[in-house]
Amino acid sequence: MTTEPRGPVDSSRIPRYAGPATFARLPRLDEVTRADIAVVGVPFDTGVSYRPGARFAPAAVREASRLLRPYHPALDVSPFAAVQVADAGDIPVNPFDINEAIETVEHEASRLQSDGTKLVTIGGDHTIALPLLRAVAKRHGPVAVLHFDAHLDTWDTYFGAEYTHGTPFRRAVEEGIVDTEALSHVGTRGPLYGKRDLEEDRRLGFGIVTSSDVLRRGVDETVDALRQRIGDRPLYVSVDIDVLDPAHAPGTGTPEAGGMTSRELLEILRGLAGLNLVGGDVVEVAPAYDHADITSVAASHVAYDLISLFTLDSAGPREEQT
């Protein structure tokens, strides 16, 4: 028989600032029979190349998410009523051994998704995208990737290290876990090490929509181009919060001037409704550099929009687990 999803704490009865800070005040994963969508944190920043601190992001984003409400008017969906969404806590990764950390994230993400649960992951730095992509590829094969970021993250190495927050998508292409016919960067900008960076990125299969392109073309044209490139492929969405201008996301490790607004980012995400989303993350929030929780608030809304997009694809009667 079907059961009604257990939703968040009722903020009309218990103040938002009271009680445990699960994402959007949702139940913990161990408080429900199963989850259609789980929010999981990865408090890890060993892969950063400049300002550290993203290990504190899952807690900060959960705190900022207290203000989220259950109905999403832009997508006309009540995600927490339509499907079971739960907070799966944090994946405890080794902060001293990046290889072990990557293995742990891949193992735990695979375990959480083993029954068909979709994950929205809160990082942590962008290194974690690689093990998360490995986990979804085990279920879906090579996936399309929509990568929102100020940076390409397709460099080969940093200081001789292959696994950093600037290299996950090159490793993903090399491992064959992404569909090279449907890879896109959105929001890139700023200086590079050289023109060769763009040439190598193109060789790996990525198309680029810069932040200037979004400004000049607008959201609707950008969305149309992305949807044509993605088609009906299984899609993974990775959002580095530094895709936003520092005015909208100062709390990040490698800020770049000239970025997108939070409104542009959310509108592009909403334009993905109906696509075959299989996973997503929001990474690189560094709370120590934030002001009035601007960055954490933006990240909480990104995660909420990802949950809502998954819900549009997942909604339907749920069988009670016995």
Side-chain angles (χ1 to χ4, degrees), residues 245-270:
D245 189 88
H248 296 265
T252 191
T254 48
E256 304 280 358
M260 291 164 51
T261 67
S262 54
R263 179 176 58 243
E264 289 171 331
L265 173 58
L266 293 174
E267 286 300 313
I268 292 173
L269 286 173
R270 293 163 188 171

Side-chain angles (χ1 to χ4, degrees), residues 132-289:
L132 293 170
L133 284 167
R134 288 175 179 172
V136 295
K138 289 176 183 177
R139 291 188 61 84
H140 302 282
V143 295
V145 173
L146 185 50
H147 170 221
F148 294 87
D149 203 323
H151 311 98
L152 302 173
D153 288 3
T154 53
W155 286 280
D156 190 13
T157 63
Y158 275 95
F159 297 91
E162 295 182 342
Y163 300 106
T164 76
H165 75 159
T167 64
F169 298 106
R170 179 181 288 250
R171 299 288 91 83
V173 171
E174 293 170 347
E175 294 179 15
I177 57 177
V178 295
D179 186 336
T180 54
E181 297 297 315
L183 306 177
S184 300
H185 303 298
V186 179
T188 55
R189 62 191 187 277
L192 298 169
Y193 296 107
K195 191 172 182 178
R196 183 181 175 184
D197 293 347
L198 294 172
E199 295 168 350
E200 292 191 358
D201 189 80
R202 191 177 304 112
R203 178 178 58 80
L204 292 170
F206 278 90
I208 295 177
V209 180
T210 68
S211 60
S212 295
D213 291 334
V214 174
L215 172 65
R216 291 188 172 90
R217 299 175 188 172
V219 167
D220 291 344
E221 185 177 330
T222 298
V223 168
D224 286 344
L226 293 173
R227 292 182 69 98
Q228 289 179 29
R229 188 171 179 84
I230 295 162
D232 60 358
R233 298 173 174 88
L235 172 64
Y236 187 90
V237 178
S238 185
V239 182
D240 185 326
I241 206 65
D242 72 23
V243 72
L244 299 180
D245 189 88
H248 296 265
T252 191
T254 48
E256 304 280 358
M260 291 164 51
T261 67
S262 54
R263 179 176 58 243
E264 289 171 331
L265 173 58
L266 293 174
E267 286 300 313
I268 292 173
L269 286 173
R270 293 163 188 171
L272 305 178
L275 296 183
N276 182 20
L277 275 75
V278 296
D281 64 57
V282 54
V283 298
E284 298 285 352
V285 174
Y289 305 101

Side-chain angles (χ1 to χ4, degrees), residues 6 8-20 25 66 68:
R6 176 175 170 180
V9 173
D10 185 352
S11 295
S12 68
R13 298 174 61 87
I14 301 176
R16 289 186 173 88
Y17 44 80
R25 311 187 78 194
R66 288 176 179 271
L68 294 170

